[in-house]
């Protein structure tokens, strides 16, 4: 008996149909373990040792594999044919080795580029070993993402309260969106005019022409830039007669686009189907697991010989021999950093036309399959043949030239089946069919139409154009784009309006911070270079730990340089960089920074517990504030949903720490976090109430871990904690409450020392006497409200008339006895 392990139950179900009774097929449900979201999961000081933890259900699925393996002599690891799939197989193998469950078992690694009977049979017949280079590339990527996220995000929380997180690729994608918005903000429209002339040919057919030359000179876009100049040009045209001076006809070919890669599928699905990148990948994953298309995470545009033959057969059958080229078309990658490990995305069986599959698929799956099928078949069809025509018409004095452009499709070729969509393409008149005219033919002016235009700013990114730009720059991998885009929206760094990304102010603030203090790590070339290095690791050309050590040495130095920065330095830099956006010039010419409430103070960026806002320099006399991002409705909705879930007894698992789940729960006194479950055999689990300034729906995994690790040490005997009266910082006998923007999450050692300078040292408790009856010490203490006495477990206020600093033993006994 042989045990086959794949990622998903859907894939397991499909494969099970093709394998005989000698095989068992189980699903691991993705990764059984991962890096936990806590400090020390990657240890740079210990040769980048990585600590793995089971996912919430990973242990159960591993136990299922162990149980099934008892009756089997062979373990076949058949996870997906890419870096992540290799890692899933490696994790399972490592755990089984550690638990000594592989004695006498044969281990095989197989891959299926499509889930068809022939592909599964071929994969089973061609096993290999785990590709350690791919595993190394996976470990390098996970370690890089962890080291950046886990070290950079806390800096953001401390320096930019209200910020969520930063990521190695996520932050670069955010920078692209913010830079495009800056271009739009700075854009100043320029006026220009065009002049169209409707001409009437000798056959009384209309022909639309454009003014190209005036006064014997070729016009550029801004030659006619006012109504006055446009009317002058119109008058000159009206004064002349015109004759056709040249007719140019030429044949042109338009070729089909190559078959889909992950990136181009995401782009076209966004343009044609309005699918998000995330939705596209979810639908494609299901189509792959059901054996309907090939593997959907690929950078390759090549097709197998069998697939090309199937396309050619389909073309001849459904469209006729006229649409079939004499030789097959082969495609090769041009994209930077492309990995041609697999085929392009295509139907598993081209003869399964969309019409045949319509009743077998749900609506979304059908739409995506139809797109993939058409693109695949069209790429092997003949090009479209176009007849392009240019007609020039000159004035009698040869100083004015009018031009008409048009084209006619002589043979539609692949256009009969499929035409690729474009991003933000300008409408033109190339599809205009022009009337037949001959050189020397006189034409009559019918209508002269001057039109005013203004230049437009560059368009905001759509999902399609952002994915295209990331791929062009070599940033990230197509398989990660959907997650990157989703995270930017979840963190509320960007919003989507009319299918286009607009950066929120918090996203702009994070980008400004990173550009000024971590510039290298949001540079496009640097991020692309890291992708190239990761490709080198997967190809066996670079050691993964060498890549990490080179990156870490410079990155941690940058972190250490930024840590001591005062909040005022950060605020000033952000305020300066976003000045034009936040304080645009007013129409009346007045100072845009003047406070609208008091009329005297100046507005500037400030940071509160929940993020950035505009505040008046006359605070506290003037309390004018303006939030930079209006999230009230969203916060109320999220809080309501979270409260409802918790009120219904639904706990929220935030992450894991020390192998146990961290839960967010609601008790009779409010929200709290808890480490692990309560059992009858152990002490109560560790708990910590949420500070008042932390909203349950905004609590992050990192913050939960800090709460459960209190008191938090800052070094030099300084620690922060939460006490009966709120947050405080303490060093020896000196302590001080935390107020304003300072809190247990963002306090730096430098800021703590600054706060403690103003804190008076708490006097040591002083034993004054012993109670004559109970024999307990009577101790003089200093508390929040002054000096008091403590005897046993009870505290005693010192009545008026006594001097606490010179209290005698007799007076102490007298006060305690009287109170008792």
């Amino acid at each position: 008996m042989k045990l086959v392990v794949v990622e998903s139950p859907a894939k397991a179900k499909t494969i099970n149909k093709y394998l005989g009774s000698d095989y068992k097929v189980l699903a691991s449900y993705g990764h059984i373990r991962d890096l936990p979201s806590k400090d020390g999961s990657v240890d740079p000081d210990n040769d980048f040792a990585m600590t793995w933890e089971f996912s919430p259900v990973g242990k159960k699925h591993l136990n299922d594999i162990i149980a099934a393996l008892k009756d089997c002599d062979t373990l076949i690891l058949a996870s997906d044919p890419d870096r992540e799939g290799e890692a899933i197989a490696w994790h399972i193998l490592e755990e089984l080795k550690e638990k000594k469950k592989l004695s006498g078992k044969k281990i095989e690694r197989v891959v299926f580029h499509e889930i068809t009977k022939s592909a599964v049979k071929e994969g089973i017949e061609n096993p290999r070993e785990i590709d350690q280079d791919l595993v190394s590339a996976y470990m390098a990527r996970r370690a890089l993402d962890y080291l950046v996220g886990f070290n950079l995000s806390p800096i953001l929380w401390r320096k930019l309260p209200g910020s969520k997180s930063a990521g190695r690729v996520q932050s670069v994608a955010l920078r692209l969106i913010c830079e495009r918005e800056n271009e739009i903000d700075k854009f100043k429209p320029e006026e220009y005019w065009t002049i169209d002339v409707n001409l009437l040919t000798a056959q009384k057919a209309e022909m639309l022409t454009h003014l190209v030359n005036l006064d014997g000179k070729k016009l550029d876009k801004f030659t006619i830039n006012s109504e006055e100049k446009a009317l002058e040009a119109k008058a000159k045209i009206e004064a002349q007669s015109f004759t056709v001076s040249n007719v140019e006809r030429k044949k042109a070919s338009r070729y089909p686009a190559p078959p889909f890669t992950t990136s181009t599928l995401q782009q076209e699905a966004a343009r044609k189907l309005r699918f998000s990148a995330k939705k596209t990948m979810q639908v494609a994953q299901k189509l792959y697991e059901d054996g309907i298309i090939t593997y959907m995470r690929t950078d390759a545009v090549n097709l197998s010989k069998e697939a090309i033959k199937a396309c050619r057969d389909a073309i001849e059958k459904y469209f006729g021999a006229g649409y079939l080229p004499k030789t097959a078309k082969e495609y090769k990658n041009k994209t930077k950093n492309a990995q041609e490990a697999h085929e392009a995305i295509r139907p598993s069986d081209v003869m399964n036309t969309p019409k045949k599959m319509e009743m077998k698929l749900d609506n979304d799956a059908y739409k995506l399959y139809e797109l993939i099928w058409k693109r695949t078949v069209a790429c092997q069809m003949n090009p479209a043949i176009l007849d392009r025509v240019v007609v020039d018409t000159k004035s009698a004095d040869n100083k004015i030239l009018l031009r008409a452009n048009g084209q006619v499709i002589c043979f539609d070729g692949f256009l009969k089946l499929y035409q690729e969509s474009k991003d933000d393409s300008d409408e033109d008149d190339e599809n205009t069919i022009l009337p037949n005219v001959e050189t020397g033919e006189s034409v009559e002016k019918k209508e002269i139409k001057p039109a005013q235009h203004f230049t437009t700013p560059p368009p905001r990114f759509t999902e399609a154009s952002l994915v295209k730009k990331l791929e062009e720059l070599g940033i990230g991998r197509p398989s990660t784009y959907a997650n990157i885009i989703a995270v930017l929206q979840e963190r509320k760094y960007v919003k989507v309006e009319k299918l286009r990304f607009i950066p929120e102010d918090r996203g702009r603030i994070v980008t400004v911070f990173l550009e000024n203090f971590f510039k290298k790590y949001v540079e496009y070339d640097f991020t692309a270079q890291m992708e190239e290095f990761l490709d080198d690791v997967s190809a066996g050309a670079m050691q993964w730990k060498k890549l990490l050590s080179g990156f870490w040495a410079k990155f941690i130095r940058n972190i250490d340089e930024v840590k001591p920065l005062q909040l005022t330095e950060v605020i000033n830099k952000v305020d300066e960089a976003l000045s034009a956006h936040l304080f645009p010039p007013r129409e009346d010419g007045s100072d845009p920074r003047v406070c609208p409430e008091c009329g005297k103070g100046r507005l500037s960026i400030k940071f509160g517990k929940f993020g950035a806002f505009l505040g008046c320099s006359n605070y506290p006399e003037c309390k004018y504030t303006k939030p930079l991002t209006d999230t009230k409705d969203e916060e109320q909705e999220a809080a309501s949903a979270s409260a409802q879930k918790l009120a219904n007894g639904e706990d929220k698992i935030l992450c894991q720490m020390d192998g146990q789940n961290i839960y967010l729960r609601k008790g009779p006194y409010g929200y709290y976090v808890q480490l692990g479950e309560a059992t009858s055999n152990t002490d109560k689990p560790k708990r910590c109430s949420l500070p008042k300034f932390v909203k349950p729906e905004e609590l992050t995994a990192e913050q939960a871990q800090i709460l459960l690790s209190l008191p938090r040490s800052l070094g030099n005997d300084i620690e922060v904690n939460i006490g009966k009266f709120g947050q405080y910082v303490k060093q020896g006998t000196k302590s001080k409450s935390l107020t304003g923007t300072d809190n247990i999450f963002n306090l730096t050692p430098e800021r703590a020392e600054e706060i403690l300078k103003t804190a008076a040292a708490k006097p040591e408790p002083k034993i004054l006497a012993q109670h004559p009856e109970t024999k307990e010490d009577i101790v003089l203490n200093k508390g929040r409200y002054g000096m008091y006495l403590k005897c046993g477990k009870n505290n005693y206020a010192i009545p008026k008339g006594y001097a606490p600093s010179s209290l005698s033993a007799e007076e102490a006994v007298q006060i305690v006895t009287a109170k008792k």
Side-chain angles (χ1 to χ4, degrees):
M1 184 70 74
K2 297 181 180 182
L3 177 63
V4 181
V5 179
V6 297
E7 290 100 329
S8 74
K11 186 175 174 182
K13 185 178 178 182
T14 307
I15 289 172
N16 206 34
K17 294 188 298 186
Y18 303 134
L19 298 175
S21 56
D22 292 338
Y23 292 87
K24 283 184 186 178
V25 186
L26 279 183
S28 70
Y29 291 80
H31 285 279
I32 61 164
R33 64 182 194 177
D34 200 356
L35 287 175
S37 298
K38 65 179 183 181
D39 196 17
S41 295
V42 178
D43 188 358
D45 297 328
N46 190 21
D47 198 25
F48 297 96
M50 300 171 78
T51 304
W52 305 98
E53 279 187 2
F54 282 109
S55 65
V57 292
K59 198 163 190 175
K60 175 189 178 300
H61 296 309
L62 181 69
N63 288 335
D64 291 343
I65 293 170
I66 291 171
L69 193 56
K70 288 179 182 177
D71 303 325
C72 299
D73 54 21
T74 303
L75 172 65
I76 300 174
L77 299 167
S79 43
D80 285 349
D82 61 4
R83 187 189 289 132
E84 287 296 314
E86 208 69 22
I88 288 170
W90 176 79
H91 279 304
I92 294 169
L93 192 60
E94 288 297 298
E95 282 293 334
L96 292 174
K97 283 179 181 176
E98 191 176 316
K99 295 182 185 302
K100 298 181 170 56
K101 301 295 182 182
L102 296 175
S103 178
K105 310 290 183 185
K106 186 178 179 182
I107 311 300
E108 295 179 347
R109 168 77 171 119
V110 305
V111 294
F112 310 127
H113 294 289
E114 55 185 317
I115 313 297
T116 59
K117 189 171 184 177
S118 59
V120 170
K121 183 183 177 186
E122 184 183 350
I124 293 290
E125 290 174 353
N126 293 280
R128 59 170 173 81
E129 293 184 354
I130 294 283
D131 188 330
Q132 287 299 329
D133 291 332
L134 276 182
V135 174
S136 294
Y138 158 80
M139 293 174 77
R141 182 180 290 276
R142 286 295 291 116
L144 278 172
D145 291 342
Y146 172 89
L147 291 172
V148 172
F150 212 81
N151 288 280
L152 195 49
S153 294
I155 295 286
L156 277 184
W157 306 334
R158 292 166 193 155
K159 307 301 180 187
L160 300 175
S163 299
K164 302 288 185 180
S165 68
R168 187 176 61 86
V169 181
Q170 158 201 328
S171 299
V172 182
L174 178 59
R175 181 189 168 194
L176 273 172
I177 294 169
C178 291
E179 282 190 345
R180 178 59 57 88
E181 199 67 21
N182 290 340
E183 290 177 45
I184 294 169
D185 286 346
K186 292 174 184 175
F187 182 82
K188 293 182 180 178
E190 290 186 69
E191 182 183 5
Y192 68 97
W193 288 70
T194 57
I195 298 179
D196 293 345
V197 183
N198 255 338
L199 299 177
L200 206 60
T201 68
Q203 288 77 34
K204 302 302 178 185
E206 285 192 16
M207 180 170 64
L208 182 66
T209 64
H210 313 296
L211 177 63
V212 176
N213 286 17
L214 184 66
D215 297 330
K217 296 177 183 177
K218 184 175 174 61
L219 300 177
D220 65 30
K221 190 170 188 174
F222 299 105
T223 302
I224 304 175
N225 58 6
S226 67
E227 185 176 16
E228 182 184 356
K229 290 181 180 178
L231 293 177
E232 285 178 11
K234 180 182 179 183
K236 290 176 181 178
I237 296 170
E238 286 173 336
Q240 294 289 323
S241 58
F242 288 84
T243 306
V244 175
S245 60
N246 184 49
V247 179
E248 183 181 336
R249 290 186 174 88
K250 61 180 179 181
K251 297 285 185 186
S253 299
R254 184 186 294 180
Y255 293 91
F260 282 131
T261 62
T262 304
S263 167
T264 53
L265 177 63
Q266 289 173 358
Q267 292 172 50
E268 272 295 80
R271 297 183 193 116
K272 281 186 159 64
L273 308 179
R274 297 291 188 259
F275 283 8
S276 67
K278 185 176 181 180
K279 181 175 181 178
T280 299
M281 295 310 291
Q282 287 172 340
V283 177
Q285 177 91 33
K286 181 77 166 56
L287 288 171
Y288 163 68
E289 290 175 349
D290 289 344
I292 296 169
I293 63 169
T294 55
Y295 192 55
M296 67 289 156
R297 293 187 183 92
T298 175
D299 295 334
V301 293
N302 52 291
L303 293 173
S304 67
K305 289 180 181 178
E306 293 78 11
I308 291 174
K309 182 180 183 304
C311 287
R312 289 175 66 82
D313 290 344
I315 293 165
E316 190 164 16
K317 179 177 179 180
Y318 297 116
F319 301 98
Y323 288 87
L324 186 67
K326 290 181 180 178
T327 57
K329 173 73 174 172
E330 293 187 9
Y331 294 90
K332 291 188 177 180
N333 281 90
K334 295 179 183 177
T335 307
K336 190 178 181 181
N337 290 348
Q339 306 169 74
E340 297 191 31
H342 321 301
E343 277 188 82
I345 302 168
R346 62 168 174 82
S348 299
D349 183 354
V350 174
M351 288 304 174
N352 283 331
T353 63
K355 190 172 182 180
K356 286 183 183 177
M357 301 300 292
E358 190 170 7
M359 301 303 292
K360 299 178 182 178
L361 301 173
D362 63 40
N363 192 42
D364 288 340
Y366 170 74
K367 286 178 181 177
L368 194 66
Y369 180 74
E370 182 183 38
L371 195 67
I372 293 168
W373 189 89
K374 285 184 174 181
R375 175 86 164 221
T376 305
V377 174
C379 83
Q380 293 300 318
M381 294 174 78
N382 268 322
I385 307 300
L386 311 174
D387 191 358
R388 287 185 175 156
V389 183
V390 179
V391 177
D392 285 346
T393 307
K394 277 192 174 181
S395 60
D397 62 2
N398 282 330
K399 290 184 177 181
I400 300 175
L401 175 64
L402 305 175
R403 177 169 291 165
N405 296 286
Q407 68 180 20
V408 177
I409 297 175
C410 301
F411 172 67
D412 55 5
F414 76 95
L415 292 175
K416 187 177 185 71
L417 178 62
Y418 181 86
Q419 183 166 352
E420 187 177 29
S421 299
K422 302 292 180 186
D423 289 308
D424 308 308
S425 57
D426 294 326
E427 292 294 324
D428 55 36
D429 57 0
E430 283 200 346
N431 291 320
T432 303
I433 298 175
L434 300 180
N436 286 321
V437 291
E438 300 295 334
T439 303
E441 180 180 322
S442 294
V443 289
E444 179 186 337
K445 299 186 297 291
K446 189 175 180 185
E447 185 182 7
I448 303 171
K449 299 182 287 186
Q452 183 187 38
H453 307 275
F454 291 93
T455 53
T456 55
R460 292 184 175 110
F461 285 110
T462 60
E463 279 213 14
S465 57
L466 181 61
V467 165
K468 185 178 180 181
K469 187 67 175 177
L470 288 168
E471 187 178 38
E472 285 173 358
L473 294 170
I475 294 169
R477 276 284 167 264
S479 57
T480 65
Y481 293 157
N483 185 55
I484 291 166
I485 291 168
V487 167
L488 291 178
Q489 293 178 76
E490 287 165 10
R491 297 285 184 263
K492 295 186 173 65
Y493 286 161
V494 301
K495 62 183 177 182
V496 178
E497 287 185 5
K498 297 179 180 178
L499 302 176
R500 295 189 180 269
F501 291 112
I502 302 173
E504 296 277 19
D505 283 325
R506 72 173 59 171
R508 285 184 163 209
I509 289 168
V510 167
T511 299
V512 167
F513 175 78
L514 295 176
E515 284 180 326
N516 280 277
F517 300 108
F518 291 91
K519 185 177 180 181
K520 180 176 182 178
Y521 302 99
V522 288
E523 286 178 351
Y524 305 132
D525 289 345
F526 174 79
T527 310
Q529 186 184 51
M530 292 305 295
E531 293 295 340
E532 290 177 4
F533 288 158
L534 287 167
D535 289 345
D536 290 342
V537 172
S538 62
M542 179 182 280
Q543 294 294 319
W544 70 279
K545 290 184 179 179
K546 183 180 177 182
L547 168 60
L548 289 178
S549 60
F551 169 83
W552 177 249
K554 295 175 182 176
F555 181 66
I556 193 61
R557 195 180 308 135
N558 197 161
I559 291 281
D560 291 339
E561 287 169 358
V562 174
K563 273 183 180 178
L565 282 177
Q566 296 299 314
L567 193 57
T568 51
E569 293 180 68
V570 176
I571 290 173
N572 291 340
K573 186 63 74 173
V574 171
D575 190 272
E576 177 189 345
L578 293 180
S579 177
H581 166 63
L582 296 174
F583 307 104
R586 292 178 177 171
E587 290 184 8
D588 60 3
S590 61
D591 186 351
R593 283 185 179 260
V594 172
C595 176
E597 191 164 299
C598 70
K600 296 177 182 177
R602 286 175 59 76
L603 300 181
S604 61
I605 289 182
K606 299 182 184 299
F607 286 96
K609 293 175 182 177
F610 304 111
F613 62 94
L614 297 183
C616 180
S617 59
N618 274 349
Y619 179 84
E621 288 78 15
C622 177
K623 292 184 170 59
Y624 174 81
T625 60
K626 179 185 176 184
L628 288 183
T629 307
D630 183 12
T631 58
K632 188 180 292 183
D633 292 341
E634 294 171 7
E635 288 171 2
Q636 286 177 348
E637 187 179 327
S640 175
S642 177
Q644 187 61 48
K645 283 186 177 181
L646 291 167
N648 293 339
E650 296 181 40
D651 298 334
K652 181 179 180 182
I653 299 175
L654 296 169
C655 59
Q656 284 198 333
M657 187 168 83
D658 301 331
Q660 299 182 82
N661 288 334
I662 294 180
Y663 298 95
L664 172 63
R665 290 177 169 166
K666 187 178 183 183
Y669 304 108
Y671 293 98
Y672 65 93
V673 287
Q674 176 177 305
L675 180 62
E677 293 282 5
T679 65
S680 56
N681 302 324
T682 62
D683 296 331
K684 286 184 178 180
K686 191 168 186 179
R687 293 172 178 168
C688 184
S689 297
L690 262 61
K692 289 181 180 179
F693 70 89
V694 176
K695 296 183 179 180
E697 67 273 12
E698 292 189 346
L699 182 72
T700 65
E702 292 81 5
Q703 288 173 332
Q705 289 170 352
I706 289 172
L707 288 172
L708 289 167
S709 303
L710 291 175
R712 176 174 162 236
S713 174
L714 300 180
N716 197 22
D717 199 30
I718 300 173
E719 64 181 35
V720 288
N721 205 347
I722 300 175
K724 185 176 181 181
F725 303 106
Q727 305 173 86
Y728 66 90
V729 58
K730 179 183 176 185
Q731 184 181 41
T733 60
K734 293 165 68 176
S735 66
K736 189 81 172 177
S737 294
L738 296 179
T739 58
T741 60
D742 297 314
N743 61 61
I744 56 170
F745 302 124
N746 67 16
L747 198 69
T748 64
E750 296 76 19
R751 176 61 181 152
E753 289 177 356
E754 189 179 322
I755 293 170
L756 287 165
K757 285 177 184 177
T758 63
K762 186 178 180 181
E764 292 290 335
K766 181 181 178 182
I767 299 174
L768 296 180
Q770 195 176 68
H771 196 276
E773 295 176 10
T774 64
K775 305 303 180 185
E776 293 173 321
D777 289 336
I778 300 175
V779 182
L780 180 66
N781 279 314
K782 185 175 181 181
R784 184 179 180 89
Y785 303 109
M787 306 298 287
Y788 67 95
L789 294 175
K790 185 178 180 73
C791 183
K793 294 182 179 179
N794 299 319
N795 297 334
Y796 302 89
I798 300 172
K800 290 181 180 179
Y802 291 92
S805 58
S806 58
L807 204 66
S808 66
E810 292 77 13
E811 288 173 328
V813 171
Q814 186 180 354
I815 292 168
V816 171
T817 303
K819 292 283 185 181
K820 280 182 177 293

